[in-house]
Amino acid sequence: ALGKLGKKDYLTFRDATTTSLKYGYRLTGLRHGDYRVTQAESRNIETQEQFFEKVEHFLSTPYGFNLPVANSFLNQLIEIQNACVDSKMFEEYEMVGSSLLFVYCGDTAAIQWIDFANSMKRPCEDHNGIMLGIQNLIKCFSTLIEKMS
């Protein structure tokens, strides 16, 4: 209907007010023990430094920074990047509104790529910033690992 924003229009508007447009990723929310970043709070994360601070806190335990989990996340991001490069589907489809879900318990970590409901055949060669986001997340985790080692 007239006057309504489509999913892609909404995401474009939202991305302009977070780290999405510049870095290709944004934080939607975090929870680890008593530490939480709500979806509303995440809308105020506009810089890479703010993002790093939240991720560093997310990976902190009473015993210090969880280096094994950070390394696992980094390795999985590299695997995702390589899978995208090799994927015919990634080449042909736009992953509108999809997300990377980061979870861990103890020293076991996993990243799942979720939310493909709005994916569509790509009308052009625009990759919607996904590779930029993955590359910048790899840099983020590399930087944190170097800082905390």
Side-chain angles (χ1 to χ4, degrees):
L2 286 176
K4 289 193 173 189
L5 287 176
K7 180 75 169 186
K8 192 169 181 180
D9 295 325
Y10 165 73
L11 293 174
T12 300
F13 166 77
R14 185 212 50 213
D15 289 352
T17 63
T18 66
T19 54
S20 286
L21 197 58
K22 187 171 183 179
Y23 299 107
Y25 63 76
R26 80 180 163 81
L27 178 67
T28 301
L30 284 176
R31 182 175 179 187
H32 179 248
D34 293 335
Y35 178 66
R36 291 184 183 174
V37 177
T38 66
Q39 195 168 20
E41 292 168 330
S42 71
R43 291 185 189 115
N44 297 320
I45 299 171
E46 298 176 358
T47 67
Q48 196 169 35
E49 291 75 24
Q50 291 172 312
F51 180 83
F52 278 25
E53 177 187 314
K54 303 299 184 194
V55 172
E56 184 177 332
H57 200 119
F58 174 64
L59 294 174
S60 295
T61 72
Y63 310 105
F65 185 76
N66 197 326
L67 202 52
V69 167
N71 278 308
S72 180
F73 283 150
L74 175 61
N75 291 332
Q76 290 177 62
L77 285 165
I78 292 167
E79 289 174 11
I80 291 168
Q81 179 183 34
N82 291 338
C84 288
V85 168
D86 294 339
S87 171
K88 182 90 169 144
M89 185 181 89
F90 181 77
E91 189 178 305
E92 294 178 5
Y93 282 83
E94 189 170 7
M95 308 304 178
V96 177
S98 67
S99 302
L100 293 177
L101 174 65
F102 292 72
V103 295
Y104 78 95
C105 182
D107 288 345
T108 303
I111 300 174
Q112 295 294 313
W113 198 344
I114 61 171
D115 299 334
F116 296 99
N118 293 295
S119 296
M120 63 183 77
K121 235 358 184 169
R122 186 186 315 281
C124 62
E125 289 300 313
D126 175 26
H127 284 261
N128 200 26
I130 291 173
M131 288 302 284
L132 172 67
I134 293 170
Q135 290 164 351
N136 280 322
L137 284 169
I138 288 169
K139 288 177 189 173
C140 169
F141 279 91
S142 296
T143 300
L144 282 175
I145 289 166
E146 185 176 320
K147 175 184 171 185
M148 304 311 270
S149 293

